Amino acid sequence: MSKSAVLPQSAAPARRKPLLNFWQLWNMSFGYVGIQFGFALQNANVSRIFETLGAAIDDIPILWIAGPVTGLVVQPIVGYMSDKTWNRLGRRKPYFLIGALLASLGLLVMPNSPTLWFAAGMLWMLDASINITMEPMRAFVGDMLPDEQRTAGFAVQTFFIGASSVVGSLMPWLLTNVFNIANTAPEGVVPDSVKWSFSLGGIVYLATVLWTIFSVREYSPEEQEAFHGKDEENAASDDAIQLNQKLYTLVGSCLVAIGFVFSFLIEELSWDKGLFILSFGLSAYGGLQLLAAWRYRNGKKRGLVEMIYDFNNMPGPMRQLALAQMFTWFALFSFFIYSTAAVTSHHFGSSDPQSVAYNQGANWVGVLMSVYNGVAALVAFLLPVMAKRISRVKTHMVCLVLGGAGLASMYLFRDPKLLIISMIGLGIAWASLLTLPYAILSSVVPYRKMGIYMGLFNFFIVIPQILAAAVLGLLVRTLFGGQPIFALALGGASMVLAALLMLRVKDEKSQPSI
């Protein structure tokens, strides 16, 4: 919203933040075992649950959209609040606990949903709860580690994400093949293998997050001030927020108007109803701009005003990362939505959720997800080494190209076993995506705004998910002739484009203007 300017360099901090040892890094991120266990169960089985409860293939994207929309709202708010929090539990840990309790409940209830729309509502709650835990845990790494150790810190998180996702994705298959728990059920009923998997996921989620809460001591505000000095405190003060009221009012009014016109065109021209999410989103953000300008005019500089200001004044490297993130997550969301439908139809020859072939294919999807997550776990600790040699940006570029090739190859391989090769490429990209963008981001934003910027960074994950959910169903139904495998091929092309966009990213510290 305003021209960039470089702020004076901060004075050297009075104290250097200490390096943590391996077990301290382990404890700090151990909660991610539970987070990703739940997330893996969700990714591998929610489309299956929706289809079992009667959803058509081209309806699935819009059913998935509740979760991302919730994340769009929840993460910035939780990030902002955690930046301002300090109590007996700490700065970020109160949100770990709240999110873990709600997510565990969601995992227990989700597979027992009586109707399709109840299941969609539970996905909303589950995704919001995971976001409440996950966003502060990202900022936690930035809080606890010096800059030179953050790539390693996020790599440990990636290892836990990959390792726990292997087990989470495999769980229905393991329960069926090892413990002989039923993998099929009457029409409209979710199989017991899925129900038991989600119940175990709820227990694991809560237990691992509690481990992190009770094994790690957060730095106090006084310690953080000693590490970072006074300049960042001044940059984060009310006086640093200088909002151009006329510009915000003009832009906000334009966004509201554009959103209404877009909504009118969607209705009149019978465009895909999922596009209403974008049109309403434009109008809503325009309204928030107007509200922020009004509050600022009345002397309010906290809460909404500060969040809108921070979003409009993101550091340069964060803006550069954002575009690459959008194309990357469009690709991944095509995989999350359509992997089950694509593999069961293209490789196993069945689209009937009650058939043996379909359920074999659905279980194989769980195996494939365990493969790419296992690869991510193995690759995670190589990323800091590669990044040190060729830079974080170039390392991420290489990984994204391999991931795009992996997604596209799923169309070419007809033998389901060969899809393991595809998953190796995707796993390498997944490891990098969970590590390097966050390592770069945590190094270029002020520590007092670590939470809000980690939350705002989620916009560039969620917005492409909304676009994918709004567009992919239409493409599969019309352009792709009802064949979801082409959605995965499109995702591969999107990920390669994201790799090219990384050429624009400058991995160096800068500040937004004031």
Side-chain angles (χ1 to χ4, degrees), residues 469-491:
V471 172
L472 286 175
L474 176 64
L475 292 177
V476 169
R477 186 171 63 251
T478 56
L479 186 62
F480 298 155
Q483 299 184 58
I485 189 66
F486 289 110
L488 303 189
L490 178 63

Side-chain angles (χ1 to χ4, degrees), residues 45 91 222 228 366 376 412 479 487:
N45 296 283
R91 188 185 191 191
E222 292 76 20
H228 296 277
L412 301 175
L479 186 62

